[in-house]
Amino acid sequence: MRIEVAGQNAFIVYFADQASAAVSAQIQAAVNNILATMQDCIVDLVPSYASLLVIFDLERSDCFAVKRQLRGALSGLENLATTAGELITLPVYYSTESGPDLEIIAKRGSLSVDQVIEIHQLQEYRVYAIGFAPGFAYLGEVDERIAAPRLATPRQKVPRGAVAIADRQTAVYPAVSPGGWNLIGLCPTRMFDPERDPSMPVKVGDRIRFEAISREDFIARGGVL
Amino acid sequence: MSGFLVRQPGLLSLLQDRGRYGAHNLGLTTGGPLDFVAFDWANRLLGNAINATGLEVSFGGLTLEAEVESSFVITGAVAPCKLNGETIAQWHTLDIHAGDKLEIGFASQGTRVYLAVSGGFDISPSFGSSSTVVREKIGGIHGDKLQAGDRLPCGNVKAIRHYRLGAADRPAYGDFASLRIVLGYQQAAFDPTQQWRFFNSRYRLTDRCDRMGFRLEGETVHSNMVGMLSEGICHGAVQIPADGQPIVLMNDRQTIGGYPKIGSVIPLDTARLAQLSPGSEVRFEAISIEQAHNIHCLEQARFERSSLRLERI
């Protein structure tokens, strides 16, 4: 574990060189410890794959005190149970209608479309990071058989709820936006709703499962095609 | 509720408070005024709270009509400002009456003009802040820049005392800035030769400078990183992608990203950078986090002292 300077009022903690469930559990525990012991001087925490950005309030503390407190909050984080994190199931209407890139992924992996859909549901994913756009959660890791490079030309408009794959990551688009990920289905659950509290159904460190639903079920849950 | 009616919105006029904090975990960025120094002065000259909502007018072109009795201050970039057709001064507390027309023309020195009204605009916060981030459709009015016909609500409040900031205390907006960087992040991945080039070259602002990031061009700089995991990006971070041309990440940056960074420009200097136009030049100067802390404290003290010297008008 390394603590590096990030800016005038920020440190970044590097936990490992690679993302893993164990590293994710450590980062989540670090977030909890920091919130419990340093809340008075913390402005923002940005957990990601293998790092945690800690932004502090220069009016309330300084880099010396924050670094000392950080070392305390980070001690004893090894050997954590990797099952930590809430398990959340997200429904997906998988089909060539809702997932225009399913056939390409199937063809690349010499699989049937149904196999791609099945493989995507087998894995339990970890929320490694949230960013890019409000509510965009990066989930890993996708089975290698259905991993897919980003599109050479990103789409101008990816619909809200699009379930997508890029390399060994998967995600649900929280809002209509441009995007270069491969689309395999649609999820009726809102990933970001500023009017609701909490505004996101998931947080970094949670475990995610996808579950296939029918077209009818998708529409009944408020999904729009 | 009445307030100010937007007659002409200008190129990019945004309601801003000091920014949105504590929501990075949802992927929400900071927002807030690019030049917080000029923004803070506008509120200070009116006796407003530091976080009162004001307007950031990029480049100019804004015309408002008052529907209330209020006082206002215009700071930031030098721009022709008029009240009912008469030229008015910037950095002064002035009164405005219902029916008056307030115009902010196009900036001649600097790029961001700030307008504050007595008591601030009354915008209900989202995620703790009124700051508008257009990319996220959050804050301000419907999460968007001002449109003709928008109403900017504010109360019938007049400043009790009227002040101006003396010319000596006002920032000067030129076409060059030296930017202080707290070395950090992947700085060790830039070998001494690369760092020497970076800190001994001048970089020019391209025309791709916006509230997310300022793209610069000049000597190329390369790190020895081969692929890296996305990580949290703080305000002012200088990211250097594969083309070797630095990007200074500003208030509306994405909260995570996967390019190597050499460190972060201190906020005092991103504020100066934000006032530069494309074609202007910058250079970078490396400082430690301890020096940055010192600069921050001195600037706070200077702001307080200058406030004591405000001239009554």
Side-chain angles (χ1 to χ4, degrees), chain A residues 121-195:
Chain A
Q121 292 174 79
L122 279 179
Q123 211 87 352
E124 184 177 288
Y125 303 97
R126 178 80 52 170
V127 182
Y128 281 131
I130 291 170
F132 170 63
F136 193 98
Y138 291 85
L139 312 176
E141 289 202 307
V142 169
D143 189 299
E144 252 175 291
R145 289 173 291 170
I146 59 167
R150 286 173 175 77
L151 307 182
T153 311
R155 287 187 172 87
Q156 288 295 317
K157 200 174 163 188
V158 173
R160 185 176 84 197
V163 179
I165 293 176
D167 302 321
R168 298 195 59 187
Q169 305 183 94
T170 185
V172 181
Y173 278 80
V176 175
S177 77
W181 291 33
N182 302 270
L183 311 184
I184 61 168
L186 284 168
C187 170
T189 308
R190 285 285 293 269
M191 296 301 284
F192 179 72
D193 183 352
E195 306 301 324

Side-chain angles (χ1 to χ4, degrees), chain A residues 5-8 12 14 17 43-44 46 48-51 53 58-59 62-64 130-132 134-135 138 192 194 199, chain B residues 21-26 28 127 136 182-186 229-232 234 256 264 266-267 289-290 293 296 300:
Chain A
V5 169
Q8 167 180 296
I12 184 159
Y14 293 108
D17 294 330
V43 174
D44 261 304
V46 188
S48 190
Y49 292 90
S51 66
L53 179 67
L58 274 182
E59 316 291 316
D62 62 36
C63 56
F64 306 104
I130 291 170
F132 170 63
Y138 291 85
F192 179 72
S199 46
Chain B
Y21 298 95
H24 279 353
N25 60 329
L26 304 172
L28 291 170
F127 299 94
E136 295 175 345
V182 177
L183 280 180
Y185 277 118
Q186 289 77 31
L229 295 171
S230 281
E231 61 185 28
C234 65
I256 62 171
S264 301
I266 62 172
I289 191 171
E290 293 84 2
H293 183 82
H296 173 80
Q300 290 279 95

Side-chain angles (χ1 to χ4, degrees), chain B residues 248-303:
Chain B
V248 185
L249 296 166
M250 304 292 264
N251 300 47
D252 291 4
R253 70 199 175 282
Q254 293 180 356
T255 53
I256 62 171
Y259 291 106
K261 297 169 286 300
I262 198 163
S264 301
V265 176
I266 62 172
L268 209 51
D269 290 352
T270 56
R272 297 188 314 140
L273 173 62
Q275 291 286 6
L276 298 180
S277 311
S280 299
E281 289 193 326
V282 296
R283 64 181 293 273
F284 294 101
E285 181 191 343
I287 60 170
S288 66
I289 191 171
E290 293 84 2
Q291 279 173 298
H293 183 82
N294 197 27
I295 291 164
H296 173 80
C297 292
L298 282 171
E299 182 57 26
Q300 290 279 95
R302 197 176 149 261
F303 185 66

Side-chain angles (χ1 to χ4, degrees), chain B residues 1-2 27 51 58 68 73 84 102 114 140 176-177 203 225 232 234 237 244 253 255 263 277:
Chain B
M1 190 183 192
S2 52
N51 203 35
S58 288
V68 289
V73 171
N84 297 324
L102 176 61
Y114 292 90
F176 172 78
Y203 288 91
M225 299 284 294
C234 65
R253 70 199 175 282
T255 53
S277 311

Side-chain angles (χ1 to χ4, degrees), chain B residues 115-130:
Chain B
L115 168 71
V117 296
S118 200
F121 293 108
D122 191 7
I123 304 294
S124 44
S126 7
F127 299 94
S129 165
S130 67

